[in-house]
Amino acid sequence: MKNLVLPFLLFLFGCVGIPERVKPVDHFQLERYLGEWFEIARLDHSFERGLSRVSAHYSMRDDGGVRVLNRGYSETKKTWKQAEGKAYFVQGPDIGYLKVSFFGPFYGSYIIFDLDREHYRYALVCGPDKSYLWILSRDPKMQGDLRDALIARAAALGFDTSGLIFVDQQ
């Protein structure tokens, strides 16, 4: 767990802004977003480096926030890494803009800027700047045409999608 949390502190410390040209989704429905999500692709960061089978589980906290449980498997160490955090809305419960913390009072942006509004089956998420990007899916695999369309959407907004790591979910 230490390997996921400690490097993440640099990302979290006071970083709750929104990258230029990125707009959080509106008409967001948290109850539909809760549950299991699989990481399809991500930009590389030390807190996830070398991890496969990465997933996130979102559930309600007693204080009205969101419990975040991130998991990933380290093939080199043959162990699961896990980190638990908490998230809260920044602007309101109908805007896909949250702040998340995995350590104390330090928060980072969690911005949902593209979402399958009909079925909540996929999402594009970023952090406080364009060096953080995740493609998430309810299923461990995503159709190539959908994945390519989400990558193109992120690239059009200025994310360096050439650096995406496609996560092995097997």
Side-chain angles (χ1 to χ4, degrees):
M1 182 162 127
K2 189 185 296 183
N3 289 346
L4 279 178
V5 176
L6 293 179
F8 203 57
L9 292 178
L10 294 175
F11 163 68
L12 293 177
F13 187 74
C15 300
V16 292
I18 300 176
E20 183 180 352
R21 297 176 41 214
V22 171
K23 183 180 182 298
V25 296
D26 54 10
H27 306 293
F28 181 72
Q29 297 174 354
L30 177 61
E31 63 278 359
R32 295 184 67 200
Y33 196 81
L34 297 175
E36 191 82 22
W37 288 87
F38 296 93
E39 193 174 88
I40 301 301
R42 67 173 180 259
L43 289 177
D44 190 32
H45 283 283
S46 60
F47 54 88
E48 287 185 287
R49 191 161 291 139
L51 296 182
S52 61
R53 297 187 262 175
V54 178
S55 65
H57 186 84
Y58 304 98
S59 58
M60 291 302 300
R61 291 173 44 95
D62 291 338
D63 67 0
V66 178
R67 177 180 179 251
V68 181
L69 184 62
N70 290 340
R71 273 186 99 201
Y73 186 74
S74 171
E75 187 64 42
T76 57
K77 295 182 180 181
K78 306 289 187 215
T79 59
W80 286 93
K81 305 291 181 185
Q82 183 170 295
E84 184 173 338
K86 56 189 175 183
Y88 300 94
F89 285 100
V90 174
Q91 295 179 336
D94 64 336
I95 304 294
Y97 177 24
L98 295 95
K99 60 182 183 176
V100 63
S101 175
F102 287 88
F103 182 76
F106 307 110
Y107 285 86
S109 295
Y110 182 96
I111 304 158
I112 304 155
F113 65 96
D114 200 342
L115 179 66
D116 170 14
R117 292 185 184 268
E118 186 176 353
H119 302 291
Y120 279 61
R121 303 293 305 161
Y122 65 79
L124 270 175
V125 177
C126 71
D129 62 49
K130 292 183 181 172
S131 70
Y132 298 93
L133 176 66
W134 295 270
I135 298 175
L136 303 179
S137 173
R138 293 291 191 175
D139 300 305
K141 293 191 176 197
M142 180 180 277
Q143 291 181 332
D145 57 342
L146 173 58
R147 184 195 64 226
D148 293 346
L150 294 172
I151 292 169
R153 166 97 166 104
L157 290 172
F159 290 89
D160 181 9
T161 57
S162 69
L164 281 172
I165 294 169
F166 296 92
V167 180
D168 181 5
Q169 288 289 353
Q170 299 195 27

